[in-house]
Amino acid sequence: MRNVFRHPVTWIVVAAGVAVALYLFQPWRLFTTVEVNEPPPVAATGQAPTGEATMTGEDMTGDVATPAASPEGPRVLSMGTFITHEHETSGVAKVLQLPNGERVLRIENLDTSDGPDLRVWLSDQPVKEGEWRVFDDGEWLELGELKGNKGNANYPIPASADLDSLTSVTIWCRRFAVSFGAAPLAA
């Protein structure tokens, strides 16, 4: 058996195995934090800001004032609190409808572990403690990569999404097919 460990091919195989394991599991991500702090969403008008140029004797900059925000803000359609699944997770998820009809998933005060290949999914599966592998069993809609494992972030929801059937949100690890945490979405 000693002769096996003296052979260079053995060390190449061991090194390749370690490299694959590090790539798949990315253990250093247990100790990293990506914090994001996006402001709440506002409706995009698709128009350039309007306003009058400021042309006084002392200030000839021609700066354009930005329009005031719409007095009608986003409306909360549904919301829920995250529960822990595979990793300790807390925070609040809100589905917002903007004045122009666009819908956005806003995650506030998220606190979970960083991990490989984390995604934000809307799902039709119920949120239950201890059941963290069910979210890919039914219908689900990926809203994108998790922007940060701590803080506040916005995820646009496509107009075609059926929010009557997609009644939960999960922080989904695509690589290992597990939910780090999930929240039921209720009106």
Side-chain angles (χ1 to χ4, degrees), residues 29 50 116 127 159:
R29 296 198 79 170
T50 60
V127 176

Side-chain angles (χ1 to χ4, degrees), residues 63-77:
D63 286 341
V64 176
T66 57
S70 169
E72 181 186 339
R75 184 169 61 99
V76 178
L77 298 178

Side-chain angles (χ1 to χ4, degrees), residues 100-148:
N100 67 357
E102 293 176 10
R103 298 173 300 176
V104 174
L105 174 70
R106 175 148 175 91
I107 299 178
E108 296 178 337
N109 302 314
L110 180 66
D111 189 359
T112 191
S113 300
D114 195 8
D117 207 12
L118 295 180
R119 306 296 170 148
V120 177
W121 280 12
L122 294 177
S123 171
D124 67 349
Q125 298 299 301
V127 176
K128 297 178 184 173
E129 290 195 34
E131 293 189 27
W132 37 269
R133 288 194 180 263
V134 300
F135 294 97
D136 61 349
D137 292 346
E139 295 295 319
W140 51 270
L141 173 66
E142 183 175 310
L143 300 181
E145 291 184 21
L146 184 68
K147 295 177 181 180

